[in-house]
Amino acid sequence: MALAGESTSTSTWPLPPTQYINHYTDENIRRGRAPKPPLPIHNEYTMFGMPFNADDAIIRPLESQAIRRLYPQNFDHRRELKKLNHSILVNFLDLLDILIKCPDSNKRTDKIEDINILFINIHHLINEFRPHQARETVRVMLEMQKRQRHQVAERLEQQEELVRRLVREALASLPDNLDLDSKLLVPSLEELQLRPKSDANSNAEDKCSSLDRLMCNIVDAL
């Protein structure tokens, strides 16, 4: 029970039944214990207290629902909607006149019934635009996807052209004469490993030659 001054939050939609959602835990789904989905309905079924057939059209005609049609078979939707809208306004004004003059009259019930039939007819005409609305919605979604893909393709082409330009600039910056030049060659790893040894050998040869030269000088002096 909430105290005075406390605000309580309520959900617009009712919570799912606990006895149903408890069967669809992760463990039950992993072990295959979750209930199977219901089979498609191929015969008659009841929804909101009204019987329906799976083979019925998406928008059933008014005659199949025992409702009087107020417009002809071949008609213009826009024109008939305007006529029905005007009839609703006129009948509503008539109802107000009846309620002012004689509210207990039977004409009040008849007029309410007429307004009810007018609303059903105008609602039925509006529902006949639902397939067209669905097609237009799909068309708009496909156009959006097409436009997004074109934008992605254009960005890819721009990036490809940028890469090609960078490669061309890099190739243009290279020198034209690429002959073998000892100064431009980079020594390999083997040469780097052998270079200290060769330097040591050359130094040793220099030392030996200087000692031999010294001995030769001493022998010459004797």
Side-chain angles (χ1 to χ4, degrees), residues 35-74:
K36 300 292 183 181
L39 297 175
I41 299 175
H42 300 285
N43 299 322
E44 295 183 355
Y45 62 95
T46 303
M47 184 173 60
F48 300 113
M50 297 292 295
F52 292 91
N53 196 310
D55 297 331
D56 290 340
I58 298 177
I59 301 176
R60 297 189 300 169
L62 293 174
E63 290 79 6
S64 64
Q65 307 176 45
I67 299 175
R68 182 162 55 96
R69 180 193 290 269
L70 300 179
Y71 51 88
Q73 293 289 339
N74 299 323

Side-chain angles (χ1 to χ4, degrees), residues 138-153:
V138 173
R139 184 182 64 82
V140 171
M141 292 175 60
L142 292 176
E143 288 181 354
M144 291 178 59
Q145 294 179 4
K146 179 182 178 181
R147 184 166 59 252
Q148 292 175 357
R149 292 178 180 177
H150 279 300
Q151 292 176 356
V152 172

Side-chain angles (χ1 to χ4, degrees), residues 187-222:
S188 62
L189 180 61
E190 296 179 354
E191 294 178 354
L192 292 176
Q193 292 177 352
L194 296 175
R195 180 173 295 176
K197 295 180 180 180
S198 60
D199 294 339
N201 293 332
S202 62
N203 293 332
E205 291 176 358
D206 293 337
K207 291 180 181 179
C208 292
S209 60
S210 59
L211 292 176
D212 292 339
R213 191 176 300 107
L214 179 60
M215 291 297 295
C216 292
N217 292 334
I218 295 172
V219 171
D220 294 336
L222 294 175

